[in-house]
Amino acid sequence: MTIIVNGRNPHHIDPESIQVVARFNEIITKPLLEGALDTFKKYSVKEEDVDVVWVPGCFEIGLVAERLGKSRKYQAILCIGAVIRGDTSHYDAVANSAASGVLSAGLNSGVPCIFGVLTCDNMEQAINRAGGKSGNKGAETALTAVSLPHLVFLLVWQ
């Protein structure tokens, strides 16, 4: 997860990034994280510029992302997790809370918080989106983190 523009060169951002990753459903979140880290490497983001913070589950992502955003250390924050539907309405509560928590974290901190939480009906869908036949959504989330800070910088300084 990343964000905060250092302002030296408006056309180049040295991303300090942090990723908040949910431990729950780690069989899915770990490949999502690996996809994000691989994408950062492809875009020349240095390994030492990326921090990873593990949280218990998706419900906790928003709180941690907001605190990290308010630290002003990061240019973007990737929020990675997986909520998989079960037999109860718990899925709806966690998925909705995760989405609103990430949105609130970005709005309240002023740092882009990118929603990389899979919300799937079953484990097969989650596996397909964590590096399977549907690609790796963690990698896609990292692409957003690479481009969004620059866009926010341009909007703020124009």
Side-chain angles (χ1 to χ4, degrees):
M1 314 204 165
T2 310
I3 293 193
I4 274 204
V5 178
N6 23 25
R8 283 177 282 177
N9 178 348
H11 301 291
H12 176 74
I13 296 173
D14 297 325
E16 271 290 317
S17 173
I18 185 151
Q19 300 181 50
V20 179
V21 185
R23 282 198 187 283
F24 197 79
N25 287 322
E26 191 172 351
I27 191 170
I28 301 300
T29 60
K30 193 169 182 182
L32 292 171
L33 172 62
E34 290 167 359
L37 294 174
D38 287 346
T39 298
F40 280 147
K41 284 180 195 171
K42 289 176 187 172
Y43 283 84
S44 302
V45 177
K46 297 176 187 150
E47 199 172 315
E48 61 267 16
D49 289 338
V50 178
D51 295 330
V52 177
V53 175
W54 290 88
V55 297
C58 291
F59 192 84
E60 294 80 17
I61 289 174
L63 171 67
V64 173
E66 184 171 333
R67 294 293 298 260
L68 292 167
K70 287 182 175 180
S71 76
R72 295 290 180 231
K73 181 179 176 188
Y74 302 103
Q75 293 184 29
I77 300 171
L78 269 67
C79 301
I80 296 174
V83 184
I84 301 169
R85 188 178 302 279
D87 295 331
T88 68
S89 62
H90 183 72
Y91 165 89
D92 296 316
V94 174
N96 290 331
S97 295
S100 63
V102 172
L103 175 61
S104 293
L107 293 173
N108 293 334
S109 69
V111 172
C113 294
I114 294 96
F115 188 71
V117 178
L118 299 181
T119 54
C120 301
D121 287 325
N122 55 53
M123 184 61 79
E124 181 182 1
Q125 287 179 353
I127 290 169
N128 285 338
R129 287 162 178 74
K133 59 184 171 185
S134 297
N136 188 307
K137 301 305 178 187
E140 292 175 18
T141 303
L143 281 174
T144 302
V146 169
S147 61
L148 193 57
H150 183 68
L151 176 61
V152 170
F153 178 83
L154 292 175
L155 292 172
V156 169
W157 294 103
Q158 285 187 358

